[in-house]
Amino acid sequence: MRIPRPGIVRIEEAVAPGSVANQLRKNLPEAVFEVVNKIPDGTPFDPRLLEVVEYRGRFLRQCPGTRHYLCCGYRILHIGVQCSLECTYCILQAYFNQPNLRLFGNTDEMLQLLADELASHPHELHRFGTGEFTDSLLLDPLTGLSCRLVPFFAGRSNAILELKTKTDFIDQLLDLPHGGNSIVAWSLNSPTIRKSEESRAASISERLRAARRCAEAGYKLAFHFDPLIEHPGWQAGYGDVLDRLFEAVDPGKIVYISLGAFRFMPELKSVIQARHPRSRIVYGEFIRGLDGKMRYFRDIRVELFRFMQERIHRADPDLCVYLCMEGEDIWRDVFGFSPEERGGLPSMLDRAVHERMGIAPGKP
Amino acid sequence: MQLAAAAIEPIPLSRVDWDDRRFAIESFRPADDIRASLDGFGLLSPPWVLPKVGDKFAIVDGFKRMQWLRERGEERVICAVFPADAGVWKLWARRLEARLFGPPLNTAEKAQVAAIVSSGLFEGKWLGRLLDGFDLPRRPELLQRWMRLSQADRSILEAAALETIHERAALELARWPESAEDRSEVLSILEHLRCSASIQVEIIERFKDISMMRGMPVGEVLRCAEVRTILDHPEWNRREKTQALRLWFDVVRLPRLKARERRFSEQLHRTPPPPGAQLTPPPSFEGDRWRMEVVFSSGDDLRERLGQLRSWSLSSGFHALLAPEPVRSPRSASD
């Protein structure tokens, strides 16, 4: 896949000497570089623009789960905001005050905070990921950020890194000393949805080919079928992708697979209608969930999840499959148990990491 | 911002360029009130005019007053005549400043003001002041909706000005449906039902949802037999029609939820709770917080009813109520 390269790189002077800015200068010789004192929020959208700012917020965050649904306990390593893949369902479209691609240039500070955090809680397993507010690998060939992050996590007994992407930009990862602590993860969808709603992202084949190469390089993998979208032929579409997935990679290399049904803040509907008038994803059978988001009526979710779970179970009955932001009633209908009966969802994922990656913090 | 003072002087009405409406903010509603005032008291303040090339004057403010004079066959009128080089934006600034402290704008006028203030004439603090003053949004994509409304069909602007349709509904209707015929159809439904702002918006959204869900032109949905039957019902009043239309929306949009509600209701009918008890599922069956309400008259009565409830809660019928087999997707069969 190819994405348009940024034509303008605007950098705040505080981070102009940093490694992210230096890598961008090296890898984008054709771009115009501007160093400014401060990049304000609300800069009008410019698809050619990449902003590099000194981030003053929280680099380390909890996954923004809500109390009504069970959260995986994933932690966010906040490296930047926005994404140029423009998937129709993406929540980032609603970030009106930061519409441009933005990276945080004070990486040293972020890594120091991360090191302190890991050191201060040595007996907990920390599952960090960078793919919450941006695609983990979209700009990685230009920034080389993974070349710092992956070795940083390598060999640690209490932390793993998950790089989640819809790209196939993995060349820079292949020779890194990952130490078995990094998971490369792909968001997958049915071919129909990939074509209509994720048209700028890598094709399913490209993603799976990239996954196989990462597995060959010793990385563990994860896959996220999120958002699952009900559409005509969804069983055939998702079934086909699962077949191709398990043909492409050994299920034993997969640490977990998550399932999440499409859900959205009500305000996102009009944004999607305006930006993607041909998209039909917001016209499903949605009800207002306990967290205020629009969700498929529960029976539809159960049907989607059961189908996926059964197909995955056929390929690897021991593979950890989990639901993203669902209630105990849905878990019971899909799996026959609730995570609470097994120590909670975060513990289930910690166990999957232990079993498939051999990583577990020592007891205090 | 300085604007040269206007000269108060009489001008012949024959020199007014009646076609020059660049400063007009049309109200889109009858001018009965102002006409009554003019009939009773005449002009209370002079209209504003701007000299043009060709010895003519453009009206800046006072279109209705000037028209009233014209219809009366007056020959001259005392006006505030601005210098010819006054500058369009300064005149607009003054005109809008006057409107800021005048009676509130109706929705159609507000849309026109939105188009003017965001046309590039104003920027920075002036723009912000006007947007805030007229209660217009600062976010470009929201302001865009107001600008779109300013260019909407005359019938929509008139309905908005008369408050037959509410502001939010007018903004929605200006951007959808795409064909004037369909917009007119939706407008006539809203005018017929005369419901609240939120229900008007809901009606517009639901027609769009159903059109998109069914992959059919909205015109077909608007004119389908079910909708016509509801709207043309000879015995229902507008509230009943609104209620029926909303129910129809739900049945079409949420077929599996509605099927589940029906099944729940049928099952509850077959396996009713003990007398005095009422079981309510979570809204849309989302989550696992069910509600049981028990009516009782004394401690003994409560104990007896709880005993009955306990037996009922152990029955297979009760378990089927709580956890029935999910409704299968109608699409799955064909996949």
Side-chain angles (χ1 to χ4, degrees), chain A residues 25-178:
Chain A
R25 284 192 194 91
K26 190 175 126 195
N27 293 319
L28 284 170
E30 74 281 15
V32 174
F33 280 77
E34 301 169 357
V35 176
V36 298
N37 176 257
K38 175 105 181 108
I39 300 173
D41 282 349
T43 307
F45 175 63
D46 182 345
R48 301 163 306 157
L49 179 62
L50 170 60
E51 300 171 343
V52 184
V53 302
E54 180 189 27
Y55 186 56
R56 285 279 154 244
R58 288 175 297 130
F59 277 113
L60 314 180
R61 299 177 173 209
Q62 291 294 334
C63 184
T66 62
R67 65 189 171 87
H68 305 284
Y69 298 104
L70 302 174
C71 178
C72 61
Y74 164 92
R75 298 189 67 189
I76 298 162
L77 187 56
H78 199 18
I79 60 166
V81 188
Q82 283 299 350
C83 174
S84 58
L85 297 179
E86 299 210 354
C87 300
T88 60
Y89 49 73
C90 186
I91 180 63
L92 296 173
Q93 297 171 91
Y95 289 25
F96 298 111
N97 65 336
Q98 290 178 359
N100 294 303
L101 270 176
R102 175 176 282 200
L103 292 170
F104 304 146
N106 39 338
T107 317
D108 291 340
E109 196 179 324
M110 176 180 76
L111 290 176
Q112 187 56 55
L113 281 167
L114 185 55
D116 293 347
E117 175 70 5
L118 300 184
S120 63
H121 301 95
H123 304 298
E124 289 174 21
L125 179 63
H126 303 262
R127 289 178 280 108
F128 274 101
T130 56
E132 185 71 18
F133 296 103
T134 185
D135 183 289
S136 293
L137 298 179
L138 180 73
L139 295 171
D140 205 54
L142 304 177
T143 64
L145 185 60
S146 63
C147 301
R148 299 192 69 189
L149 287 178
V150 169
F152 176 91
F153 278 86
R156 292 181 185 267
S157 63
N158 69 335
I160 62 158
L161 171 69
E162 180 175 337
L163 300 167
K164 185 160 69 175
T165 188
K166 277 189 228 119
T167 74
D168 59 354
F169 299 157
I170 47 103
D171 287 348
Q172 71 284 5
L173 299 177
L174 298 178
D175 295 325
L176 295 177
H178 55 74

Side-chain angles (χ1 to χ4, degrees), chain A residues 69 96 230-236 269-270 273-274 277-280 283-290 295-303 306 326 328-329 332-333, chain B residues 139 141 172 175 205-206 208-215 253-258 260 263 283-288 323-333 335:
Chain A
Y69 298 104
F96 298 111
E230 194 197 29
H231 59 282
W234 66 263
Q235 288 99 331
K269 182 174 178 180
S270 59
Q273 286 172 325
R278 295 165 67 93
S279 173
R280 292 171 65 174
Y283 303 107
E285 214 172 316
F286 293 104
I287 53 99
R288 192 179 283 266
L290 302 174
R295 300 170 159 259
Y296 287 119
F297 167 49
R298 50 125 36 231
D299 287 6
I300 301 171
R301 293 177 356 238
V302 169
E303 191 180 3
R306 275 187 183 169
E326 286 294 349
E328 290 192 41
D329 58 319
R332 286 199 191 92
D333 280 359
Chain B
R139 261 180 30 207
E141 66 278 10
E172 284 300 311
R175 63 176 180 173
E205 282 183 358
R206 294 299 170 252
K208 180 168 191 174
D209 289 347
I210 292 167
S211 157
M212 294 296 285
M213 282 174 93
R214 291 181 164 183
R253 287 176 54 249
L254 304 166
R256 283 163 284 186
L257 172 60
K258 292 294 149 192
R260 172 88 184 259
R263 283 170 54 203
S284 306
F285 297 93
E286 183 68 16
D288 52 8
E325 187 57 22
V327 178
R328 299 289 294 182
S329 159
R331 288 173 183 155
S332 19
D335 288 333

Side-chain angles (χ1 to χ4, degrees), chain A residues 259-280:
Chain A
L259 307 175
F262 181 41
R263 55 212 176 271
F264 55 96
M265 293 186 308
E267 303 88 305
L268 191 63
K269 182 174 178 180
S270 59
V271 177
I272 294 174
Q273 286 172 325
R275 287 173 54 98
H276 309 286
R278 295 165 67 93
S279 173
R280 292 171 65 174

Side-chain angles (χ1 to χ4, degrees), chain B residues 166-185:
Chain B
H166 296 272
E167 178 179 299
R168 284 164 50 208
L171 289 167
E172 284 300 311
L173 211 44
R175 63 176 180 173
W176 186 88
E178 282 169 16
S179 93
E181 189 187 358
D182 293 340
R183 283 194 298 274
S184 171
E185 185 75 35

Side-chain angles (χ1 to χ4, degrees), chain A residues 246-268:
Chain A
F246 293 122
E247 269 172 34
V249 300
D250 170 7
K253 302 275 188 187
I254 303 172
V255 184
Y256 41 70
I257 292 179
S258 78
L259 307 175
F262 181 41
R263 55 212 176 271
F264 55 96
M265 293 186 308
E267 303 88 305
L268 191 63

